[in-house]
Structures are given as C-alpha cells and as structure tokens.
Amino acid sequence: MAGYVNLHAGVGKPLWEITIGEYAVWFKGIIGSAWLYPAMTCAIRISILLFYQRIFVPTPQARIKYAIWLLLALQAVYLVVYSILPAFICRPLYKAWHPLERQQYFNDWYYYYIQVALYSTSMAFDAILLVFPLYPVSKLQLPLKKRIGVSVLFMMGAAASIAAAYKLGIFVSEMQRYTDINPEWLRYEMSTRVPPQFDHYGRTFWIPSQVEPTVALIGTSLPALRQSILSVSQRLSTIFTSSGSSSFGNFGKILPKKRVSKAGEHESLSSDDDNVGLRMNYVGAGLQAGKGGTNEHNMV
C-alpha cells in the first residue's frame, strides 16, 4: 500500500501541483495504514515469538516459556486496542479522504497522539524481542564466538526497531512544523486544508513505512534462510559431484570394450566398438604408409 501511495498520490511533488484525486489517495493511505500497521507488526512479532518458543521452550527453563506466553498475550491486546482507536480519527470516517471537507471532521491531534502511542508501543515490543534471546543463548554450551554469532542472528529479526525509532522521532519532530509553511503554498486555498508537513511526507512517512516491514521480514527470515542455503548448497554439491562422475564415465565409453568368451577369445561388445577398432587399424595403416611401408597386413 505504501508503494502504491508513493506512485499514485503525488508524493514528492510540490504541494500546489498535487491534484484533488491524488490527495484523496494520499488520505486513504493514511487511514489504511492506521489499521494495517498494527496488524502487520503484530503478525511479525508473533512469528518471531513462535520461533523462539520452538527453539527455547524445550529447555527446562520454565520462565522463558512463561515470558513467551505473556508476550503473545500482549500482542493480542496490542492488536485489539490499536485496531479500535483509529475508528475515532474522523466521524464520519469516509470524510477523512475528502480533501475539501476533511478539515471539518478530521481530528489531527487525536491522530497524532494515537500514532505516537502506536509507534512507541511497537518500538518497546521490538526492543524486548531484540534482547530476549541473549539470556538463553548465553547458556548454550558453545564457544563465545559462536554464541555471539547466534545472538546477532536472532537479534536481526527485531532490527526493525531501528526503523521504528526513526519513524517515531521524525513523526514527532514533523508535527512541530504546523507553523512552518512555504510562502508559495499560502497562495493556494488547499493550504488551509492540507497539513504543511506533507511537503516532506515521502521521506518522513511513506519511505519508513516501507523500510520498517522490509527489514523486519528479512531479519525474521534469516535464521531459517541460513539452514535453507546450507541445504541447497549441499544438493548442488551432490549434483556437481555426480555430474563429474558421469563425465568421466562417458569418456570411458569411447574406448573399445572387449569381453572374454567361453573359449577365452576376446569379442567386441557392440558394433560401435568394432568401428572404433577399425578406425584404429586404419590409423595404424596410415602411419605405416607415411613411413613408406607396403605391408598389406596393416590394412586388415
């Protein structure tokens, strides 16, 4: 959705060049993200927690199991709460994406406060997931170097907290720019209906909205991806090894093959082998002829 808005909502253009239709797409994206963001981040964190449960719960440390269950329960609370709050951003809600009427119905400060709360809660959960594996990994019977490597691999899954922190910081700082309006923009009536921060909304909202889930999904996939890469490399190694053996086997097929009959005489295995033998005799005859030899026996 963020990619669609970046392409079709006039993001990056001067505010006075954006059309009414593009502003409508822009506001629909903002409302859509208010519901999609909690669901997306909740789903990613649940997948990380279930992965931790599969890895760490078989150990005899019961507190780790209870901590994972508690975090899973908190994800459900997080999703329910932040799926209800956006419904009160604008009443009626459909007015939120009508640029000419939006200002009368849309509560900008309410939207600001719930977004700050949402990003702060999400960042707090990400920070917990970032450090959660450190304790159980420290108890593993592995060399220090390997334990550090395993910890970094697990922490990559929650590295999206860095993007979330940037998104929260820039969102709060941009809110203070309500009075910082481009003089050119003041010449247009839409300047009274569209927040002035929209001139930087591409890099302050939509790009972080794409970076954060991308980093989260890549980081979450790394532990499983490593095992998949090892499996694929082993298969490729087996294929190349067998291919090499087959090549040597095919090379051996060009040589004449003989079998021993019951009488002890050598016989050709196939007509191809006979042809190879004849070609070798002719080569021998040619060599003798080149030396001036006339022995007809060489032509047999």
Side-chain angles (χ1 to χ4, degrees), residues 15 34 161 180-181 225 238-240 243 254 265 278 283 287:
L15 295 180
S161 58
D180 183 12
I181 303 176
L225 186 63
T238 303
I239 292 173
F240 288 138
S243 298
I254 67 173
E265 297 177 353
L278 288 173
V283 170
L287 291 174

PDB file of all heavy atoms in Angstrom, residues 15 34 161 180-181 225 238-240 243 254 265 278 283 287:
ATOM      1  N   LEU A  15       3.389  20.773  -3.168  1.00  0.00           N
ATOM      2  CA  LEU A  15       2.013  20.587  -2.713  1.00  0.00           C
ATOM      3  C   LEU A  15       1.009  21.240  -3.653  1.00  0.00           C
ATOM      4  O   LEU A  15      -0.113  20.734  -3.820  1.00  0.00           O
ATOM      5  CB  LEU A  15       1.854  21.141  -1.294  1.00  0.00           C
ATOM      6  CG  LEU A  15       2.665  20.427  -0.199  1.00  0.00           C
ATOM      7  CD1 LEU A  15       2.416  21.089   1.151  1.00  0.00           C
ATOM      8  CD2 LEU A  15       2.333  18.948  -0.136  1.00  0.00           C
ATOM      9  N   ALA A  34      -3.313   3.220   9.360  1.00  0.00           N
ATOM     10  CA  ALA A  34      -3.675   3.232  10.782  1.00  0.00           C
ATOM     11  C   ALA A  34      -4.179   1.869  11.240  1.00  0.00           C
ATOM     12  O   ALA A  34      -4.036   1.514  12.416  1.00  0.00           O
ATOM     13  CB  ALA A  34      -4.743   4.300  11.038  1.00  0.00           C
ATOM     14  N   SER A 161      13.241  -2.346  14.936  1.00  0.00           N
ATOM     15  CA  SER A 161      13.063  -1.325  15.965  1.00  0.00           C
ATOM     16  C   SER A 161      13.867  -0.073  15.640  1.00  0.00           C
ATOM     17  O   SER A 161      13.500   1.037  16.057  1.00  0.00           O
ATOM     18  CB  SER A 161      13.490  -1.872  17.335  1.00  0.00           C
ATOM     19  OG  SER A 161      14.841  -2.301  17.302  1.00  0.00           O
ATOM     20  N   ASP A 180       5.327  26.211  10.054  1.00  0.00           N
ATOM     21  CA  ASP A 180       6.397  26.404   9.062  1.00  0.00           C
ATOM     22  C   ASP A 180       5.834  26.092   7.681  1.00  0.00           C
ATOM     23  O   ASP A 180       5.906  24.965   7.196  1.00  0.00           O
ATOM     24  CB  ASP A 180       7.582  25.493   9.396  1.00  0.00           C
ATOM     25  CG  ASP A 180       8.741  25.711   8.443  1.00  0.00           C
ATOM     26  OD1 ASP A 180       8.707  26.706   7.690  1.00  0.00           O
ATOM     27  OD2 ASP A 180       9.670  24.880   8.442  1.00  0.00           O
ATOM     28  N   ILE A 181       5.266  27.096   7.033  1.00  0.00           N
ATOM     29  CA  ILE A 181       4.577  26.897   5.762  1.00  0.00           C
ATOM     30  C   ILE A 181       5.311  27.633   4.654  1.00  0.00           C
ATOM     31  O   ILE A 181       5.712  28.797   4.815  1.00  0.00           O
ATOM     32  CB  ILE A 181       3.115  27.391   5.847  1.00  0.00           C
ATOM     33  CG1 ILE A 181       2.373  26.667   6.979  1.00  0.00           C
ATOM     34  CG2 ILE A 181       2.381  27.164   4.525  1.00  0.00           C
ATOM     35  CD1 ILE A 181       0.969  27.165   7.183  1.00  0.00           C
ATOM     36  N   LEU A 225      16.592 -18.988   6.773  1.00  0.00           N
ATOM     37  CA  LEU A 225      17.232 -18.868   5.465  1.00  0.00           C
ATOM     38  C   LEU A 225      18.619 -19.488   5.478  1.00  0.00           C
ATOM     39  O   LEU A 225      19.045 -20.107   4.504  1.00  0.00           O
ATOM     40  CB  LEU A 225      17.314 -17.390   5.069  1.00  0.00           C
ATOM     41  CG  LEU A 225      17.831 -17.086   3.662  1.00  0.00           C
ATOM     42  CD1 LEU A 225      16.905 -17.676   2.622  1.00  0.00           C
ATOM     43  CD2 LEU A 225      17.959 -15.590   3.451  1.00  0.00           C
ATOM     44  N   THR A 238      26.228 -32.151  -4.412  1.00  0.00           N
ATOM     45  CA  THR A 238      25.966 -33.537  -4.809  1.00  0.00           C
ATOM     46  C   THR A 238      25.740 -33.648  -6.309  1.00  0.00           C
ATOM     47  O   THR A 238      26.238 -34.559  -6.972  1.00  0.00           O
ATOM     48  CB  THR A 238      24.737 -34.068  -4.055  1.00  0.00           C
ATOM     49  OG1 THR A 238      24.960 -33.960  -2.650  1.00  0.00           O
ATOM     50  CG2 THR A 238      24.470 -35.529  -4.416  1.00  0.00           C
ATOM     51  N   ILE A 239      24.979 -32.675  -6.868  1.00  0.00           N
ATOM     52  CA  ILE A 239      24.695 -32.699  -8.302  1.00  0.00           C
ATOM     53  C   ILE A 239      25.970 -32.547  -9.112  1.00  0.00           C
ATOM     54  O   ILE A 239      26.216 -33.280 -10.077  1.00  0.00           O
ATOM     55  CB  ILE A 239      23.686 -31.588  -8.661  1.00  0.00           C
ATOM     56  CG1 ILE A 239      22.316 -31.912  -8.053  1.00  0.00           C
ATOM     57  CG2 ILE A 239      23.569 -31.421 -10.171  1.00  0.00           C
ATOM     58  CD1 ILE A 239      21.305 -30.793  -8.206  1.00  0.00           C
ATOM     59  N   PHE A 240      26.824 -31.576  -8.713  1.00  0.00           N
ATOM     60  CA  PHE A 240      28.064 -31.356  -9.453  1.00  0.00           C
ATOM     61  C   PHE A 240      28.998 -32.548  -9.345  1.00  0.00           C
ATOM     62  O   PHE A 240      29.684 -32.908 -10.294  1.00  0.00           O
ATOM     63  CB  PHE A 240      28.753 -30.089  -8.945  1.00  0.00           C
ATOM     64  CG  PHE A 240      28.056 -28.820  -9.344  1.00  0.00           C
ATOM     65  CD1 PHE A 240      27.905 -27.769  -8.446  1.00  0.00           C
ATOM     66  CD2 PHE A 240      27.521 -28.673 -10.625  1.00  0.00           C
ATOM     67  CE1 PHE A 240      27.256 -26.604  -8.806  1.00  0.00           C
ATOM     68  CE2 PHE A 240      26.874 -27.513 -10.999  1.00  0.00           C
ATOM     69  CZ  PHE A 240      26.737 -26.474 -10.098  1.00  0.00           C
ATOM     70  N   SER A 243      27.644 -35.212 -11.604  1.00  0.00           N
ATOM     71  CA  SER A 243      27.850 -34.823 -12.998  1.00  0.00           C
ATOM     72  C   SER A 243      29.292 -35.072 -13.414  1.00  0.00           C
ATOM     73  O   SER A 243      29.570 -35.538 -14.512  1.00  0.00           O
ATOM     74  CB  SER A 243      27.503 -33.344 -13.196  1.00  0.00           C
ATOM     75  OG  SER A 243      26.150 -33.121 -12.902  1.00  0.00           O
ATOM     76  N   ILE A 254      34.230 -44.194 -24.954  1.00  0.00           N
ATOM     77  CA  ILE A 254      34.784 -44.077 -26.301  1.00  0.00           C
ATOM     78  C   ILE A 254      35.879 -45.111 -26.542  1.00  0.00           C
ATOM     79  O   ILE A 254      36.318 -45.302 -27.664  1.00  0.00           O
ATOM     80  CB  ILE A 254      35.354 -42.676 -26.543  1.00  0.00           C
ATOM     81  CG1 ILE A 254      36.577 -42.432 -25.669  1.00  0.00           C
ATOM     82  CG2 ILE A 254      34.296 -41.619 -26.314  1.00  0.00           C
ATOM     83  CD1 ILE A 254      37.283 -41.114 -25.990  1.00  0.00           C
ATOM     84  N   GLU A 265      38.449 -66.271 -26.060  1.00  0.00           N
ATOM     85  CA  GLU A 265      38.748 -65.301 -27.095  1.00  0.00           C
ATOM     86  C   GLU A 265      38.060 -63.990 -26.789  1.00  0.00           C
ATOM     87  O   GLU A 265      36.963 -63.972 -26.247  1.00  0.00           O
ATOM     88  CB  GLU A 265      38.263 -65.837 -28.446  1.00  0.00           C
ATOM     89  CG  GLU A 265      38.974 -67.124 -28.869  1.00  0.00           C
ATOM     90  CD  GLU A 265      38.410 -67.643 -30.177  1.00  0.00           C
ATOM     91  OE1 GLU A 265      37.403 -67.054 -30.614  1.00  0.00           O
ATOM     92  OE2 GLU A 265      38.966 -68.581 -30.727  1.00  0.00           O
ATOM     93  N   LEU A 278      38.251 -50.646 -36.029  1.00  0.00           N
ATOM     94  CA  LEU A 278      38.622 -50.480 -37.426  1.00  0.00           C
ATOM     95  C   LEU A 278      39.312 -49.146 -37.666  1.00  0.00           C
ATOM     96  O   LEU A 278      40.291 -49.059 -38.382  1.00  0.00           O
ATOM     97  CB  LEU A 278      37.381 -50.584 -38.308  1.00  0.00           C
ATOM     98  CG  LEU A 278      36.781 -51.996 -38.435  1.00  0.00           C
ATOM     99  CD1 LEU A 278      35.460 -51.944 -39.188  1.00  0.00           C
ATOM    100  CD2 LEU A 278      37.748 -52.933 -39.169  1.00  0.00           C
ATOM    101  N   VAL A 283      44.202 -45.991 -38.822  1.00  0.00           N
ATOM    102  CA  VAL A 283      45.189 -45.013 -38.379  1.00  0.00           C
ATOM    103  C   VAL A 283      46.566 -45.627 -38.383  1.00  0.00           C
ATOM    104  O   VAL A 283      47.550 -45.036 -38.828  1.00  0.00           O
ATOM    105  CB  VAL A 283      44.818 -44.483 -36.976  1.00  0.00           C
ATOM    106  CG1 VAL A 283      45.962 -43.653 -36.406  1.00  0.00           C
ATOM    107  CG2 VAL A 283      43.556 -43.639 -37.052  1.00  0.00           C
ATOM    108  N   LEU A 287      49.849 -44.564 -40.651  1.00  0.00           N
ATOM    109  CA  LEU A 287      51.168 -44.262 -40.126  1.00  0.00           C
ATOM    110  C   LEU A 287      52.245 -45.079 -40.832  1.00  0.00           C
ATOM    111  O   LEU A 287      53.325 -44.578 -41.147  1.00  0.00           O
ATOM    112  CB  LEU A 287      51.201 -44.539 -38.615  1.00  0.00           C
ATOM    113  CG  LEU A 287      50.371 -43.588 -37.753  1.00  0.00           C
ATOM    114  CD1 LEU A 287      50.374 -44.064 -36.306  1.00  0.00           C
ATOM    115  CD2 LEU A 287      50.936 -42.171 -37.827  1.00  0.00           C
TER     116      LEU A 287
END
